[in-house]
Structures are given as structure tokens and as C-alpha cells.
DNA sequence: AAAAATAAGGGGGTATTTCCCCTTTTAAAA
DNA sequence: TTTTAAAAGGGGAAATACCCCCTTATTTTT
């Protein structure tokens, strides 16, 4: 069976070379190229015939970072699977990378065997996320709201419906309330969440992960 | 060491009794009570001195379902950890249960050893989610909209300003255009992005990371 | 050079949102 | 059992958003 072609992208030469040695030892995989930043990825993919199946992508990199590069790949080479390999384990970075289209997310302190397993999973099943990453994200869903304000069930319902491109009249129908009562919810939330328009409500709902996009 | 007290809640008697037998065989755990629905949970917790450490909670149940019961527990007995045990694996249900405060989520087709492991994890680390559940959620973040339309610079600018809680009049000033020209941008984008309101524009902008929250 | 797309601007109208101030009903506290 | 607070509903008006159809330059394409 042909080995699966990999490109490694990381601005820390020591690390990327070490990684190169490691992955090259896995006989299912072949390291096609080692690149230093997102810009080089875009250049390589644009100008070479031999395309990788998987790109092992660092996130923090100069010139074009991993998120931007992944976004570019989503639009220009959607078949290439990006496996993020990062030291950040914060929710925002993970979300950005997922939205950019990364099929997997690994932390740099994992065991080589996990890397091998993750590469295989990404290639065959299409995704792989380490437990740390999923736990970070799932826990963040729980720890979202108690920021300072706590919304009641009905307010949450209203908020979700507001995000769904409905008019207040429609929301009133869904919630079995009069449009005028919906007005009360709106005004209460405007004040409570310190926003000026319904756009503000939508932004809040997304930031606090009351809805997930 | 004292066994950890568990309450099992499920409306299918056969299943809950089978579960009872299973968990009772784990010598770290003691089944305090087997209940039939969320209402009975609320009653039990309200009226008994001996409280469980963990509640193994089904979701679909009559009278008071698992989500409602978990919500009640969050507010009235926050120390009790809820481990959801369900057949549903859809994103919406999982999210609801997480928001309600469930510390873990298992599917009913798991191996008994996983159940044991999950109970231990929930007790000691505070959470446990099976891979299926986390994958469902993470993938749902990605599968938003592979809507590969390309926006022009000016359209992007308009979109970003729309997200910033500005009126079209204000956007017109910032972009040095007449409000009527802004209307053209709005209409063009409504059609191009297949949305019906400016909320739709905001959602698109966030999904496609044109703005980052 | 003619045709076609692109960018800018407008008229006029309906629907929706936003704002402020108000009453009634229902549920919780004192 | 009063008293209070919360939830539900409302009137009226101005601002904003949304819709459809239209004109005029300026590029781009053919």
C-alpha cells in the first residue's frame, strides 16, 4: 500500500525536524515536505503537482498563521485534511481552528503513538480530537453563562429564537406569547446584556455559546 | 473506603433494574435508589437526608424529563453530579443536557466497563464524555456551511460593519457611500449568501470567520 | 466599438424594530 | 394576609430595515 503523504508546517525548525524524523519512521506515512509557515503552505499547494493527504499544522506562526492557512486550504484544496498540532489549548483558538476546517487537533505534549493514531484516524475516519481538546470545549459550553448575568430559561429560548432569523412576531408565536411580551424580553435582555440592537443579542448568544455555529 | 452512592433514573424498568444489578456489582459504588422519572428525582432529593454523589440519568422520561431534572439539580443540589445515559446522540439533545449541567454523557450501547470508568471519572475528575458524543459536537461546529461564495473587499467591509451593531446609515458614513448604495450591498449579499435578514449576515460572517468573536 | 457587467445612487412603500410609559394578572415574600 | 415582585400584555410613535423597480456613469468583456 502506498504511504500517505504528509506535510509538516512549523516555524520551530528543531521541532519540525524532530517531527519529520518521527513521522518518517511510521511506515504508513511519507513526509512530503517540511515548511515553516502558512505562506509557504499556500505557495507549495498552489505550485506543486504532488499534493499531501494530510497537513500537520502548527497554529502560531509568522507571516500567515495556521488558522489563516487552514482557511485558505478549505477554500482552495478542500480534500487536504489539516491536523492541528499546537501548544494552545484554549477554547477560542480551538474553535477558530475548527471553524477554519481543521479535521483534528493535537497538543504538542502527546505521545508519538497518539500522533500516529491521530494521523490514521484523520485519514480513515476524517477526524481526530484529543481528549484534552474535546474536554476543553465541552466544559467551556458549561462554564459559559455564569459570567455575571444568569439568563432564565425563557430568556434563553427567546435569545435562541432571535438568532434564528425570526421576527419578533414569529418568536411570539413559537413561544406562545404576545408580541408585546416579547418586547419585554427584548428590552430586559438589552439592558442585562448591555447591547443596543438585536445584533448585539446574536453576538452575545454566540460568544457565550448559547448557540453553536 | 466508603462506596460512592448512585441513583439510577430511567423509565424503562427492565433497563433500570439491569443497570442496578450491574452497578451494584461494582464494589466502588452503591445504588441508593432506582427512580422512574425526573419528578421522582426532585421528590427524592427534596425529602431525603442521604444524598447521592452521582445520578445516572436517562433523558427521555415522562412527567419530568432528564434535562429538566438536571436543570433543577443544578439550582437545588449543585454538588450532585449528573451522568447522562441516553440513546439520543443528536447535537441538540447533547447541548441541552450539557447546558443543564450534566457532567458526563454516555450512550446506552456502551460496554459495562466504560460505564464503570465513566462513573469513576465523573466522581474524581468531574466529567466524562464518550467519544461519540464529543465527535458529534465537534463535527457539528464544522459542518456549518461550505458555502463557497467569494466576497469582494467592499462587501467584506460592509459585512464587518454590519456585525458591529451599526445602522445602515452609520455604515454608509463609515464607507463614504450613500445609504441607498448600502442598500444595494445588503440586497446583493442577501441573495448571494441566501439569508433573509441582517441576522443572517451576522451568522454568516461569524461562521466564515470574517469576524472573529 | 458595442454589449455587458459593476458600482453608485434614488423613489416610494411596507414591515419591523426600537423606545417609553402604562395596566393587569400571577406568583412569591413579609 | 397584605405587600412586593415578576410575568404578561398593551398604546402610540419614530427610527430602521426590508423590498421592488429604476437611472446613470464607469469599467470589462467580446
Amino acid at each position: 500500500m502506498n504511504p500517505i503523504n504528509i506535510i509538516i508546517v512549523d516555524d520551530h525548525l528543531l521541532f519540525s525536524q524532530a517531527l519529520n524524523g518521527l513521522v518518517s519512521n511510521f511506515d504508513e506515512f511519507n513526509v512530503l515536505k517540511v515548511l515553516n509557515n502558512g505562506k509557504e503552505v499556500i505557495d507549495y499547494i498552489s505550485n506543486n503537482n504532488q499534493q499531501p493527504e494530510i497537513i500537520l499544522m502548527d497554529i502560531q506562526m509568522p507571516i500567515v498563521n495556521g488558522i489563516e492557512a487552514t482557511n485558505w486550504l478549505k477554500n482552495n484544496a478542500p480534500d487536504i485534511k489539516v491536523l492541528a498540532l499546537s501548544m494552545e489549548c484554549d477554547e477560542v483558538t480551538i474553535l477558530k481552528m475548527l471553524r477554519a476546517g481543521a479535521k483534528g487537533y493535537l497538543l504538542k505534549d502527546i505521545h508519538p503513538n497518539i500522533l500516529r493514531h491521530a494521523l490514521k484516524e484523520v485519514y480513515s475516519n476524517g477526524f481526530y480530537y484529543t481528549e484534552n481538546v474535546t474536554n476543553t470545549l465541552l466544559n467551556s459550553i458549561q462554564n459559559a453563562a455564569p459570567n455575571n448575568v444568569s439568563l432564565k430559561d425563557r430568556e434563553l429560548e427567546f435569545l435562541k429564537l432571535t438568532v434564528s432569523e425570526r421576527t419578533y412576531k414569529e418568536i411570539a408565536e413559537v413561544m406562545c406569547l404576545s408580541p408585546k411580551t416579547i418586547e419585554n424580553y427584548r428590552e430586559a435582555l438589552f439592558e442585562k446584556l448591555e447591547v443596543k440592537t438585536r445584533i448585539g443579542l446574536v453576538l452575545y448568544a454566540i460568544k457565550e455559546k448559547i448557540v453553536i455555529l
Side-chain angles (χ1 to χ4, degrees), chain A:
Chain A
M1 200 176 116
N2 287 338
I4 300 157
N5 286 315
I6 311 274
I7 283 183
I8 293 170
V9 194
D10 200 304
D11 58 324
H12 299 95
L13 197 61
L14 194 63
F15 183 79
S16 61
Q17 288 305 330
L19 208 54
N20 185 5
L22 194 63
V23 176
S24 296
N25 271 339
F26 302 154
D27 51 3
E28 312 93 321
F29 302 108
N30 169 48
V31 177
L32 206 60
K33 193 81 185 172
V34 177
L35 303 172
N36 296 303
N37 62 58
K39 175 75 167 54
E40 292 185 10
V41 173
I42 294 173
D43 288 347
Y44 181 94
I45 299 299
S46 303
N47 300 318
N48 281 72
N49 282 331
Q50 195 171 24
Q51 302 277 305
E53 272 82 36
I54 301 175
I55 297 183
L56 255 178
M57 178 95 74
D58 188 25
I59 293 180
Q60 274 197 322
M61 291 184 295
I63 310 174
V64 170
N65 68 36
I67 292 167
E68 293 161 339
T70 305
N71 248 313
W72 185 90
L73 288 165
K74 180 173 66 177
N75 295 322
N76 297 279
D79 288 343
I80 300 176
K81 298 183 172 76
V82 174
L83 176 52
L85 185 53
S86 164
M87 290 187 308
E88 349 302 322
C89 191
D90 68 293
E91 178 213 335
V92 175
T93 306
I94 296 171
L95 267 180
K96 280 184 193 169
M97 203 59 187
L98 283 184
R99 291 216 185 92
K103 300 297 183 200
Y105 201 113
L106 298 176
L107 298 180
K108 283 190 176 175
D109 60 0
I110 51 160
H111 190 276
N113 287 341
I114 302 264
L115 171 61
R116 188 178 200 166
H117 180 242
L119 284 168
K120 284 195 215 167
E121 285 289 312
V122 166
Y123 181 73
S124 56
N125 286 338
F127 59 84
Y128 182 89
Y129 312 99
T130 43
E131 217 184 319
N132 270 330
V133 168
T134 56
N135 286 338
T136 298
L137 218 48
L138 294 218
N139 284 325
S140 83
I141 290 171
Q142 297 198 316
N143 302 334
N147 227 349
N148 34 31
V149 285
S150 74
L151 300 187
K152 290 158 208 145
D153 287 355
R154 223 81 223 284
E155 287 178 331
L156 278 177
E157 200 181 342
F158 166 75
L159 202 46
K160 287 178 198 164
L161 288 167
T162 300
V163 178
S164 70
E165 282 195 78
R166 268 176 247 245
T167 67
Y168 291 139
K169 200 195 293 181
E170 291 166 337
I171 294 174
E173 276 169 27
V174 175
M175 290 181 72
C176 295
L177 292 174
S178 100
K180 276 298 182 178
T181 305
I182 294 298
E183 287 260 295
N184 292 337
Y185 279 98
R186 183 186 58 71
E187 287 189 82
L189 282 184
F190 272 26
E191 194 166 353
K192 203 185 269 192
L193 307 182
E194 294 175 6
V195 302
K196 295 189 301 296
T197 69
R198 59 197 277 129
I199 301 282
L201 293 183
V202 172
L203 297 178
Y204 177 89
I206 294 169
K207 277 181 193 158
E208 297 297 321
K209 284 176 296 308
I210 288 161
V211 292
I212 294 213
L213 297 187

